[in-house]
Structure formats: structure tokens, C-alpha cells
Amino acid sequence: MVFNFPCLGFLILCTALITTNCVLGFSSKGLPISSFNESFFRLYGNNRVIFLDNEGKSVQISLDKSSGSGFLSQDMYLHSYFSASIKLPGNYTAGVVVTFYTSNGDEYKTNHDEIDFEFLGHVRGKPWLVQTNIYGNGSTNRGREERYNLWFDPTQDFHTYSILWTSKWIVFYVDEVPIRVVQKVDAMGGDFPSKAMTLFATIWDGSAWATSGGKHKVNYKYAPFLAKYSNFVLYGCSLDPIQKELAAEKCGSATDLSTFNGLTTEEKSKMMKFRMKNLIYSYCNDRSRYPIPLPECIVKRKL
Ligand SMILES: *[C@@H]1O[C@H](CO)[C@@H](O)[C@H](O)[C@H]1NC(C)=O
Ligand SMILES: *[C@@H]1O[C@H](CO)[C@@H](O)[C@H](O)[C@H]1NC(C)=O
Ligand SMILES: *[C@@H]1O[C@H](CO)[C@@H](O)[C@H](O)[C@H]1NC(C)=O
């Protein structure tokens, strides 16, 4: 007998009926780690993308006066769990932007989708800031930024940053603590990312805006700025990189992405604790920018 009731969004039903349509929480335990050569290509700043170990599981990208650098996934993914351990450049990094994000801007110039982790530089002695953001179908005039402090110094060690993206949910995690959840609501329309995307990691000069709104620029006296990435997980439904949308996606073992239905109670409480302490800015609370909050913000406050 196979139970296959659709989840109605009620926590009690969800926990009572373990059906394929209704699963809380996502476990990244045991997901395969990719090497750079298996999963990525260099994007730019060629000789600034270097291997840190013999197996190519860890790479370093850097920014100096003449260029930044970056890499991108070989495949595009429609729904995925992406994760990397990242160690950010230390010392004085004002204006330096380090990213870990998904985008399809090359394929869809006017209606692209994007899900971002962005590290916004650091003036010595000030806390590091992390920003998350989402665009869907070219909604670039409706930024959905949030900014947070971290509870550790991200330049001292590797920490894990992860993005879970399903047809209905986006979750950002830091060291497996969910820090932000976006649940798709119908009123979002195309603003919820819905087309296959590539995973990117870059380091670049964001002097114009990154640190305190551009007040602190990159100081190349401290260059090169080095960002290290390791433990790549690219788990999801990949498309053929040549045929892209034409090819059927291959979800492989990643069927749990379609059954994910939100955080567990324990995860929600961890997220609340994180956000009470570390959330600095959320577009949901910015009434001067959005006198009427964007539709998903209403749901969000209930979480
Ligand atoms: C990765 O690929 C490059 C280019 O083909 C090769 O030179 C390098 O040895 C490979 N590295 C690893 C760790 O497999
Ligand atoms: C996405 O944008 C395209 C082009 O602007 C438009 O034709 C399409 O209807 C949009 N899709 C959604 C779901 O809003
Ligand atoms: C920070 O940069 C300055 C100037 O380049 C250098 O003298 C100092 O040793 C650096 N400190 C660390 C901890 O790397």
C-alpha cells in the first residue's frame, strides 16, 4: 500500500503521513563531493584559478589590480542543492566581493533568474557581512536582499554555504543552519526562479557599492585577495549543457528535491535564533522601498 496524499501544508499532517509528497527538512549527509575538473570550468582570470590539492577538490581564486577570477559549473541545473566550503580573504578587504550563486543571465538576457550568496568585503575590525538575494524572470527592479552578520570569522576557516532550490522553496544555509527560507506563493509569479541555472563562484572589485555602500574601496596594497573553495556538492536535475532546455533534465537520485516541503521544527527554531541575532537588513521590513511588502513576505513572518 503506497500512501500518496499531497501535502496540504499542515505540519501535523506532514509528520503524521510520511508520503512521497510531504517531507520536512533536507539532509545533505552523504551527498557526493565533486572535484573541480568533474564539475566546473574556469570562467575568467585564468591563472588566478589554482588547485590547492592533488585531487582538485579545493581551489583558490584571486583578485589583483589587473583582474578578478571565477569559475562556473559545466552543467545547468533545474532545481538543486549546491554547497561549498569557503574561506574568505583576510586582512583588509573593503570593496572585495566574493560570490557563490546561480544564474542563467547568459541564456536569458532580459528575463534571467538568480540565487545569490554575496560576501561584501570587510574593513578591518568590522564584522563580515553576507548578503543573500533572489531574482526571477528578470525581476531586477525588485531586489529581495537580506544582509546578516556571521557568528564566526569567515577568514579564519572554511565554512559551508549552501543553496537548496526546489520548485516551491529556496533555503540558504550557513554551516547547515538555515538562515533564510523563501516559499513560493502564487502572487510572486515569475519572480520565483524557475528556469535552469549555472552555478558560479567569483571574486571581483565591487568598490562602487559593496562595503558600506561604496564608502570603502578596494585597496590594492593588500592584494592579491584570495578566496578558497572546497567540498563542492552539486546535487540536482542537470540539463545537457549543449542542448540546454531541449534536453530532458536528469534528476538521478535527487528525487528528494521535489518532495521537500519546508524546514523541520528544529530547523525553524535554529533559523529564528540566527535571524533574531544576526539579521541586519531584510527587504521584507523596508517600508520606504516597498510600502506594500512583496507577497512572500507575509508568509515569511509566520515562519
Ligand atoms: C584538471 O584538468 C586539468 C586540465 O585538463 C589538468 O591539467 C589537471 O591536472 C587536472 N587536475 C586534476 C586534479 O585532476
Ligand atoms: C517571464 O518573462 C517572459 C518575457 O518577459 C514572459 O513572456 C513570461 O510570461 C514571464 N513568465 C512568467 C511566469 O512571468
Ligand atoms: C595585512 O596586510 C599588511 C599590509 O600588506 C601586512 O603588513 C600584514 O602582515 C597583513 N596581516 C595579515 C594578518 O596578513
Side-chain angles (χ1 to χ4, degrees):
M1 169 87 200
V2 177
F3 291 97
N4 201 22
F5 301 111
C7 178
L8 302 173
F10 296 114
L11 192 63
I12 294 159
L13 267 182
C14 286
T15 43
L17 305 170
I18 308 299
T19 78
T20 52
N21 289 337
C22 187
V23 176
L24 297 180
F26 178 84
S27 172
S28 59
K29 288 213 170 47
L31 296 184
I33 308 280
S34 281
S35 71
F36 185 90
N37 279 5
E38 278 167 344
S39 299
F40 296 101
F41 293 131
R42 284 177 167 80
L43 176 62
Y44 69 113
N46 225 345
N47 57 2
R48 291 172 187 81
V49 182
I50 64 166
F51 291 107
L52 295 173
D53 66 317
N54 291 333
E55 291 171 273
K57 298 236 152 119
S58 307
V59 297
Q60 172 182 289
I61 57 179
S62 59
L63 166 69
D64 55 48
K65 219 176 166 88
S66 34
S67 179
S69 51
F71 56 90
L72 77 170
S73 61
Q74 294 172 16
D75 290 343
M76 294 184 80
Y77 296 81
L78 180 61
H79 307 137
S80 51
Y81 173 82
F82 292 129
S83 186
S85 296
I86 305 173
K87 186 175 173 186
L88 296 175
N91 219 334
Y92 187 93
T93 56
V96 177
V97 178
V98 176
T99 67
F100 183 63
Y101 71 103
T102 69
S103 176
N104 50 28
D106 291 336
E107 288 74 22
Y108 302 95
K109 302 279 183 217
T110 59
N111 63 328
H112 89 288
D113 306 294
E114 193 176 312
I115 307 175
D116 302 325
F117 262 115
E118 295 170 311
F119 303 93
L120 300 179
H122 174 56
V123 179
R124 207 178 6 239
K126 296 271 172 60
W128 266 81
L129 285 192
V130 180
Q131 173 164 291
T132 61
N133 196 9
I134 290 166
Y135 296 120
N137 212 32
S139 64
T140 49
N141 61 349
R142 282 184 298 287
R144 290 175 150 87
E145 295 89 352
E146 285 194 346
R147 286 191 283 280
Y148 328 85
N149 282 319
L150 295 170
W151 65 92
F152 50 81
D153 178 348
T155 71
Q156 290 302 304
D157 282 302
F158 284 90
H159 290 271
T160 306
Y161 304 89
S162 321
I163 297 169
L164 175 67
W165 169 43
T166 76
S167 58
K168 298 188 194 77
W169 298 86
I170 293 167
V171 186
F172 295 88
Y173 303 85
V174 175
D175 286 340
E176 290 171 34
V177 175
I179 63 162
R180 174 178 184 181
V181 173
V182 179
Q183 181 176 11
K184 186 182 180 186
V185 296
D186 289 344
M188 280 180 88
D191 284 18
F192 190 90
S194 64
K195 302 189 290 297
M197 294 193 270
T198 303
L199 177 64
F200 292 85
T202 57
I203 183 167
W204 45 278
D205 184 331
S207 287
W209 65 276
T211 308
S212 312
K215 204 168 93 197
H216 303 287
K217 316 256 182 249
V218 176
N219 183 343
Y220 284 100
K221 189 177 93 178
Y222 299 100
F225 303 100
L226 314 174
K228 298 174 181 176
Y229 292 73
S230 187
N231 291 335
F232 299 109
V233 176
L234 299 90
Y235 175 78
C237 306
S238 57
L239 302 186
D240 183 293
I242 310 294
Q243 300 188 335
K244 297 200 171 117
E245 304 322 276
L246 299 177
E249 74 255 33
K250 302 167 290 187
C251 292
S253 58
T255 49
D256 45 350
L257 292 171
S258 62
T259 57
F260 175 83
N261 198 42
L263 302 179
T264 64
T265 311
E266 192 190 340
E267 286 175 325
K268 278 185 198 169
S269 119
K270 277 192 185 167
M271 183 176 74
M272 293 274 280
K273 274 192 198 132
F274 169 83
R275 293 174 67 85
M276 297 255 288
K277 209 164 156 207
N278 298 293
L279 179 70
I280 292 171
Y281 173 85
S282 173
Y283 71 107
C284 280
N285 304 329
D286 190 341
R287 287 295 166 277
S288 59
R289 191 173 172 203
Y290 298 112
I292 300 168
L294 293 179
E296 72 280 9
C297 293
I298 313 298
V299 172
K300 195 169 186 161
R301 259 191 247 104
K302 280 194 266 167
L303 277 176

